[in-house]
Amino acid sequence: MPQVLFSHVSKSYTAQARPDTLLDINFHVNQGESLAIVGPSGCGKTTLLRMLAGIESVTKGEISIAGKVVNNLAPAKRGLEMVFQSQSLYPHMTVQQNLSFGLLNKRLKRAEIQHRVKWAAKLLDIERFLTLYPHELAKGERQRVAIARALAPQTPLVLFDEPFEHLSGEIRSHLRLELIRIQRQLGTTMIMVTHDHEDAMGFADRMALLSQLDASSHTNLEQIGPPLELYHHPRNIKVASFVGKPKMSFFQAKLTDKANPTSTIALSNGETLSVSADTRHGEEGEYVTLGLRAEHIELASSAAAGQIHGQVIGIERFGSDTFVYLEYQGEQIAFRCDPHQNLPSSSQLALKVSPQVCYLFNHQGVAYPRTVEHLYT
């Protein structure tokens, strides 16, 4: 039985017949699973989490926890804890008192409270902070306290709303790894909301990507699955453009030869490319979008068909990885190159693109089926 189930869940803040925030959300979260809900600002991901927690009401549909519909159940009776983006620690209480407060409300015996506080403090490595107040701690330390407070009640479900939002660099990465370790160790079901795809891909067993509603939307939920599934097999442009860094590069084109397993497209400058996509349900002459990931593009050693030419506009060097940005057809294209490669700024480059690495989307932004899936599994 799933630990959490969203069944045709919608949310509206107005009296309109059509929900304006969340529409027809359907997915489940298994017991012991870690799930990340991701998407751009305003797509409703925090609202969805708050509905699960009981802080927001459900307009339509049902939310179930452990097989029980909880739409009208008070937050305290849902068997979950939540870590808020703002940490929400009580400034007048010590760390130990902050950890104890929720347990006191559960009417646990003093010995059991002391045991759980020590357990949670050890788990998050904050034992040395127990006598300190929140203002005496750094941001990362305060977030550790907030996570420990949520874990101390030992509920089977813990929710996280942007838990790393105010943390930077090494602290953010370290705490994310700690949370992964704790989740694996405890087997607790954890659901995290984040706008950062790196946090989501690093933390979660699966990702659910939401988008903002528009007039043609049937649901906010664009795709749910393992992180690498969304990365390598995006259902549409919204998913492809959100997951990955650098972002996928996109170019407008026309479908000139629909076929299976290889189709032909013409770019706006007349250059033609072969793409390993099944476009038999498309229409020749229709506008399509070509998508390319940075790691799938190579420098061309000699002139040949299937090349893209552009001018270097910027280079990012990250030690083992170097990303080069070119301007092509008024758009920006990124590719990964040898970090030892000497590429002068403003130089003209020819890039090699093989059919197997191209993504193709129809005029509605839906991905055409790929015919070389084995390369990415």
Side-chain angles (χ1 to χ4, degrees):
M1 178 186 298
Q3 181 76 11
V4 174
L5 178 64
F6 292 91
S7 181
H8 301 288
V9 171
S10 297
K11 176 65 178 180
S12 184
Y13 289 103
T14 67
Q16 298 178 15
R18 188 176 189 269
D20 59 12
T21 303
L22 290 165
L23 179 61
D24 199 26
I25 302 298
N26 292 279
F27 68 87
H28 70 275
V29 185
N30 293 317
Q31 185 174 355
E33 184 179 27
S34 57
L35 177 89
I37 302 173
V38 299
S41 298
C43 69
K45 54 188 183 294
T46 293
T47 299
L48 189 64
L49 197 73
R50 289 169 65 87
M51 287 196 296
L52 176 58
I55 303 171
E56 295 273 1
S57 62
V58 178
T59 303
K60 293 181 180 180
E62 292 182 341
I63 298 177
S64 301
I65 299 176
K68 181 178 181 180
V69 177
V70 297
N71 288 37
N72 300 315
L73 198 63
K77 296 182 178 181
R78 298 195 178 197
L80 57 81
E81 294 292 330
M82 185 167 177
V83 177
F84 294 90
Q85 180 178 344
S86 60
Q87 301 166 354
S88 300
L89 299 178
Y90 297 108
H92 62 288
M93 295 183 181
T94 64
V95 168
Q96 182 165 346
Q97 291 169 333
N98 266 281
L99 298 186
S100 302
F101 185 76
L103 302 175
L104 288 168
N105 290 337
K106 295 181 184 296
R107 302 183 183 279
L108 297 178
K109 294 182 179 180
R110 184 177 297 275
E112 179 63 17
I113 291 174
Q114 291 176 346
H115 170 73
R116 293 195 185 189
V117 167
K118 290 181 179 179
W119 170 82
K122 183 176 181 179
L123 194 65
L124 272 297
D125 192 26
I126 58 171
E127 294 165 293
R128 61 192 182 281
F129 303 142
L130 288 175
T131 59
L132 301 180
Y133 289 88
H135 72 270
E136 299 178 282
L137 305 177
K139 285 183 179 180
E141 294 164 348
R142 289 197 296 270
Q143 193 66 330
R144 284 177 175 273
V145 174
I147 294 173
R149 186 177 63 179
L151 294 177
Q154 299 179 1
T155 58
L157 175 62
V158 181
L159 313 181
F160 298 86
D161 184 13
E162 301 276 9
F164 312 126
E165 173 68 11
H166 301 297
L167 305 180
S168 60
E170 186 177 345
I171 297 174
R172 186 185 192 114
S173 177
H174 183 70
L175 189 55
R176 184 173 63 218
L177 290 173
E178 282 290 286
L179 193 58
I180 294 170
R181 174 187 64 80
I182 291 168
Q183 195 274 334
R184 299 292 186 269
Q185 178 180 333
L186 302 180
T188 304
T189 304
M190 293 185 179
I191 302 177
M192 175 196 294
V193 158
T194 178
H195 68 274
D196 189 303
H197 78 275
E198 291 184 359
D199 286 339
M201 296 186 75
F203 163 79
D205 297 318
R206 289 191 301 152
M207 292 170 54
L209 194 148
L210 305 184
S211 65
Q212 290 182 318
L213 284 179
D214 57 40
S216 63
S217 300
H218 299 293
T219 179
N220 303 68
L221 182 60
E222 298 294 342
Q223 189 169 349
I224 182 169
L228 289 181
E229 180 179 300
L230 271 69
Y231 184 82
H232 290 307
H233 309 292
R235 288 182 180 173
N236 54 45
I237 287 180
K238 291 180 180 178
V239 178
S241 62
F242 186 86
V243 182
K245 186 178 181 181
K247 291 187 175 182
M248 182 181 286
S249 301
F250 297 103
F251 307 95
Q252 296 304 305
K254 277 189 177 182
L255 180 63
T256 58
D257 182 17
K258 61 176 189 175
N260 179 37
T262 302
S263 304
T264 305
I265 61 173
L267 299 174
S268 60
N269 63 357
E271 295 182 36
T272 60
L273 289 175
S274 296
V275 181
S276 296
D278 182 358
T279 60
R280 288 176 295 175
H281 294 293
E283 295 294 334
E284 291 186 1
E286 78 165 301
Y287 286 99
V288 294
T289 301
L290 170 69
L292 298 171
R293 292 241 182 247
E295 66 271 27
H296 297 153
I297 305 171
E298 301 176 12
L299 278 173
S301 57
S302 58
Q307 291 183 354
I308 292 176
H309 300 81
Q311 182 176 2
V312 176
I313 58 175
I315 300 175
E316 290 183 329
R317 302 185 188 276
F318 300 105
S320 59
D321 284 324
T322 294
F323 294 102
V324 181
Y325 297 86
L326 283 75
E327 184 177 355
Y328 175 75
Q329 296 184 9
E331 301 290 342
Q332 182 175 284
I333 181 171
F335 78 98
R336 186 172 64 188
C337 74
D338 186 333
H340 303 293
Q341 185 85 35
N342 183 22
L343 298 174
S345 181
S346 301
S347 59
Q348 292 284 337
L349 298 178
L351 305 180
K352 181 172 64 175
V353 180
S354 66
Q356 292 84 0
V357 301
C358 296
Y359 293 82
L360 198 63
F361 306 89
N362 68 16
H363 66 282
Q364 295 178 321
V366 178
Y368 279 111
R370 298 182 56 75
T371 57
V372 287
E373 302 291 359
H374 65 280
L375 292 179
Y376 306 108
T377 57

